[in-house]
Amino acid sequence: MPFTPLRQRSSWRALTAHHRELASIHLRELFSTDANRGERLTVEAAGLYLDYSKNRITDETMRLLFNLANESGVPVRRDQMFKGVHINVSENRADLSFALRMPKDSSVILDGVDVVAQVHGVLDQMTKFSNSIRSGEWRGETGLPIKNIINIGIGGSDLGPVMAYEALRHYSRRDLTFRFVSNVDSTDLAEALRDLDPAETLFIVSSKTFSTLETLTNAQSAREWIVGSLGEESVAKHFVAVSTHEDRVREFGIESTNMFGFWDWVGGRYSMDSAIGLSTMVAIGPENFMEMLAGFHEMDEHFRTTPIERNLPVIMGMLAVWYRNFFEFPTAGVMPYDQYLKRLPAYLQQLTMESNGKHVTNEGDRVDYDTSAIYWGEPGTNGQHSFYQLIHQGTTIIPLDLICFANSLNPLGEHHDILSSNVFAQAQALAFGKTADEVHADGSLEDIVANRVMEGNRPTNVLLAEVLTPRILGALVALYEHSVFVQGTVWGIDSFDQWGVELGKILAAKITPELLSESEPTLDHDSSTSTLIRRYRTLKKNGEHYGN
Ligand code: F6P
């Protein structure tokens, strides 16, 4: 689709001029001159209520941002995605993640095949498997039921499963143990297996490509652990795989009957609701898993059908563009005020940064504007006693998403209201701060008045839901997926590829044998890398007693 380059779009220019006017206006002023701003600048979808009133925006800002979304083709490209157009340009593929959560009686045809029927075929297979583990029907080599489930995967084949398991732990089977091994650092696998009995342990090897070195190395060592204890024949009862590559799975020694498939049209970081979520389904049960998919689908439908002015992912995506490109804020925080969501920031880091950390447009040109912000976060209130100081008084402004729930899944005295009061208080403090007059009025000592002034004018989104359920988790993840899509569309980049991760893999493959070699290798790297390798080899020799 031929677009005017981003900086030349009339809405971009209008936003640039508008930003100049708005940049010096304080949220205090925006609120004092607009009595019902806090009610008006809100939107609700799929059980998620967003208060975006504490952003540095006016109605005019939003109007211009929606113009930019339109001028950038957000609605057009959204419709193309839902029609299966190859929007993943650099890999010449459709992205049909939304089909993973469509109801059984719907259909999406890709190259003459109904992918929804395929999805439900795999969901049925996953259901059967999950039930057999949960009921104890599935037996290990010695006849014992499986008690420990270890997911081996990395990136999208790990972060989604871990995040969802932690998020939905309340709904999980407590008599089963779930662990997640991702790092090729042997400590990860060693610590995960330390106290487990192989006879009661089953591995789910999760890898879209089934060629990822970290995952295959871990899977091979896990195989040796099982075979060493239970014999070669035991593999079929202690390993299953999730992948798009049946041949590679078979080559590894896992039968096709123990494989759960998915497809090229699902990106790794968009795959927690595919068979990659097998560990999630075993943990929370098929019914809860289907509830999670229903939440994803509800948000998909909201995104697909709602005018952009009331469209939650469009609003969040365009606010992200506003801060990244006009205020030029380099980073954004996601702070879940729910302990169960402790891995959500890590999950969102891959979703946002692997998707939109790109410097080339779909036309192959170098961008002349910034793309993805750096995302990070920690659960509240822990972060408040650590890095929030910088968010309140540092020199870099960091827009935050604060995510909270009206009810706790573990009610205990006043804990939950204390927690929630902190969300509202942080958003207030960040927006309105504290003036020198207010500090004076508190009777502060004159020489520390300046230290105690809080400038405020720091933006937040507050996302509020009733309680954390599988359905809400699905809606929340779909919200961020679509927000990422909106940003990527404005920037004209491919949010579905990840070429930037390739070079490091190739270089590591060259260096590994140089570290393993018994004899001194000939090194032809840059002087820094060669010196590091030589020093590493010397230190490794000195530490031979560690058994490496
Ligand atoms: O190297 C990055 C990446 O390709 C991610 O995009 C992906 O989620 C991860 O590696 C794991 O890939 P796979 O599921 O194919 O093992």
Side-chain angles (χ1 to χ4, degrees):
M1 209 183 326
F3 277 120
T4 311
L6 185 51
R7 286 178 174 282
Q8 290 167 33
R9 287 174 207 159
S10 57
S11 50
W12 178 280
R13 290 189 174 149
L15 277 160
T16 307
H18 175 71
H19 171 258
R20 251 179 258 125
E21 283 166 22
L22 199 73
S24 57
I25 299 181
H26 201 286
L27 276 165
R28 279 196 287 263
E29 192 180 331
L30 293 176
F31 269 84
S32 66
T33 55
D34 182 0
N36 68 349
R37 181 183 170 91
E39 286 136 49
R40 193 177 68 257
L41 297 179
T42 62
V43 60
E44 197 160 7
L48 292 169
Y49 172 88
L50 170 68
D51 171 3
Y52 61 101
S53 64
K54 293 194 190 80
N55 281 291
R56 292 171 67 173
I57 53 165
T58 60
D59 293 336
E60 175 65 359
T61 321
M62 294 313 294
R63 194 182 67 75
L64 295 173
L65 286 171
F66 295 135
N67 285 350
L68 178 61
N70 277 323
E71 215 183 334
S72 307
V74 168
V76 175
R77 198 155 168 277
R78 169 191 63 185
D79 295 348
Q80 288 180 336
M81 176 172 76
F82 283 101
K83 279 189 190 132
V85 172
H86 285 202
I87 55 168
N88 178 352
V89 182
S90 81
E91 294 178 324
N92 192 20
R93 279 181 200 158
D95 177 81
L96 302 181
S97 315
F98 64 90
L100 294 169
R101 48 262 194 162
M102 285 180 70
K104 208 170 192 158
D105 56 2
S106 49
S107 78
V108 172
I109 307 296
L110 183 74
D111 302 330
V113 177
D114 182 2
V115 300
V116 177
Q118 288 183 315
V119 165
H120 281 272
V122 174
L123 282 169
D124 290 346
Q125 188 198 357
M126 290 165 66
T127 299
K128 225 166 136 207
F129 171 77
S130 301
N131 285 338
S132 74
I133 297 285
R134 289 164 66 86
S135 66
E137 189 196 322
W138 182 293
R139 301 277 158 159
E141 182 66 12
T142 66
L144 287 172
I146 297 299
K147 275 198 188 152
N148 317 307
I149 293 94
I150 317 282
N151 185 77
I152 296 181
I154 198 165
S157 300
D158 168 71
L159 290 162
V162 190
M163 184 277 286
Y165 170 68
E166 291 295 345
L168 301 176
R169 209 171 182 154
H170 176 80
Y171 304 88
S172 73
R173 276 279 295 269
R174 301 302 181 132
D175 55 339
L176 298 175
T177 297
F178 292 84
R179 291 187 184 159
F180 300 84
V181 174
S182 55
N183 200 340
V184 73
D185 181 343
S186 42
T187 298
D188 205 6
L189 186 67
E191 286 295 340
L193 302 185
R194 167 153 265 126
D195 54 348
L196 302 186
D197 177 358
E200 298 177 325
T201 302
L202 179 130
F203 292 91
I204 303 176
V205 185
S206 298
S207 175
K208 179 177 170 183
T209 56
F210 227 77
S211 64
T212 304
L213 190 60
E214 291 89 335
T215 300
L216 294 188
T217 306
N218 276 323
Q220 196 54 47
S221 298
R223 197 178 191 284
E224 282 160 24
W225 184 74
I226 287 287
V227 168
S229 165
L230 304 169
E232 194 65 39
E233 295 306 306
S234 64
V235 171
K237 291 179 183 148
H238 293 268
F239 279 86
V240 298
V242 181
S243 184
T244 57
H245 280 271
E246 195 174 334
D247 46 337
R248 294 179 192 164
V249 169
R250 236 181 295 116
E251 207 176 300
F252 178 82
I254 298 176
E255 284 310 314
S256 303
T257 42
N258 286 345
M259 174 185 154
F260 301 81
F262 64 116
W263 308 271
D264 266 355
W265 46 259
V266 190
R269 54 193 174 275
Y270 299 89
S271 67
M272 60 166 275
D273 48 338
S274 72
I276 289 290
L278 187 60
S279 57
T280 315
M281 192 193 267
V282 177
I284 65 173
E287 238 175 77
N288 279 321
F289 193 84
M290 296 312 278
E291 267 297 294
M292 183 181 82
L293 297 189
F296 270 100
H297 181 63
E298 201 179 339
M299 185 57 77
D300 292 342
E301 284 301 282
H302 166 80
F303 179 56
R304 188 175 71 82
T305 60
T306 310
I308 61 173
E309 295 77 12
R310 303 295 304 157
N311 195 307
L312 185 40
V314 174
I315 291 172
M316 280 188 61
M318 292 312 295
L319 286 170
V321 168
W322 175 233
Y323 290 128
R324 186 70 189 109
N325 295 120
F326 297 94
F327 282 90
E328 298 182 353
F329 297 152
T331 164
V334 182
M335 311 295 161
Y337 279 68
D338 189 305
Q339 193 60 23
Y340 284 127
L341 291 181
K342 65 181 181 196
R343 296 288 287 166
L344 183 70
Y347 172 80
L348 291 179
Q349 281 182 324
Q350 186 193 15
L351 183 63
T352 54
M353 297 201 275
E354 201 175 68
S355 298
N356 285 339
K358 314 277 162 74
H359 64 226
V360 171
T361 68
N362 288 323
E363 282 71 42
D365 302 320
R366 179 75 157 83
V367 294
D368 55 1
Y369 41 84
D370 281 315
T371 58
S372 182
I374 299 155
Y375 280 80
W376 56 284
E378 270 290 311
T381 57
N382 295 4
Q384 289 174 208
H385 296 273
S386 160
F387 50 77
Y388 270 47
Q389 164 62 37
L390 182 150
I391 301 175
H392 283 287
Q393 285 189 315
T395 52
T396 299
I397 293 189
I398 304 171
L400 297 187
D401 291 347
L402 305 172
I403 301 170
C404 60
F405 299 89
N407 296 283
S408 170
L409 289 165
N410 298 292
L412 182 62
E414 297 176 349
H415 283 240
H416 194 69
D417 290 333
I418 293 172
L419 173 73
S420 307
S421 67
N422 274 278
V423 181
F424 305 138
Q426 288 299 322
Q428 249 181 343
L430 287 163
F432 307 117
K434 193 162 185 172
T435 63
D437 287 347
E438 286 164 345
V439 176
H440 273 298
D442 277 355
S444 176
L445 288 175
E446 190 53 44
D447 51 357
I448 58 160
V449 167
N451 303 68
R452 297 191 57 199
V453 166
M454 312 269 282
E455 286 173 354
N457 216 15
R458 283 147 207 250
T460 53
N461 284 319
V462 175
L463 271 167
L464 171 64
E466 190 173 310
V467 71
L468 178 56
T469 59
R471 196 178 178 102
I472 284 291
L473 181 72
L476 186 63
V477 173
L479 163 61
Y480 277 98
E481 284 184 1
H482 296 316
S483 165
V484 161
F485 172 87
V486 168
Q487 295 167 58
T489 300
V490 171
W491 291 324
I493 55 177
D494 190 336
S495 303
F496 300 99
D497 65 14
Q498 59 282 319
W499 297 106
V501 300
E502 295 306 321
L503 179 59
K505 292 182 191 174
I506 294 164
L507 297 180
K510 180 169 190 273
I511 293 172
T512 306
E514 295 169 347
L515 305 185
L516 285 167
S517 164
E518 291 291 332
S519 58
E520 206 53 41
T522 314
L523 302 174
D524 60 358
H525 301 284
D526 59 276
S527 62
S528 160
T529 308
S530 295
T531 309
L532 280 167
I533 291 172
R534 270 185 224 106
R535 177 56 66 100
Y536 174 93
R537 288 181 57 88
T538 308
L539 292 173
K540 187 175 165 182
K541 224 181 189 123
N542 292 348
E544 263 169 355
H545 53 282
Y546 293 115
N548 282 281

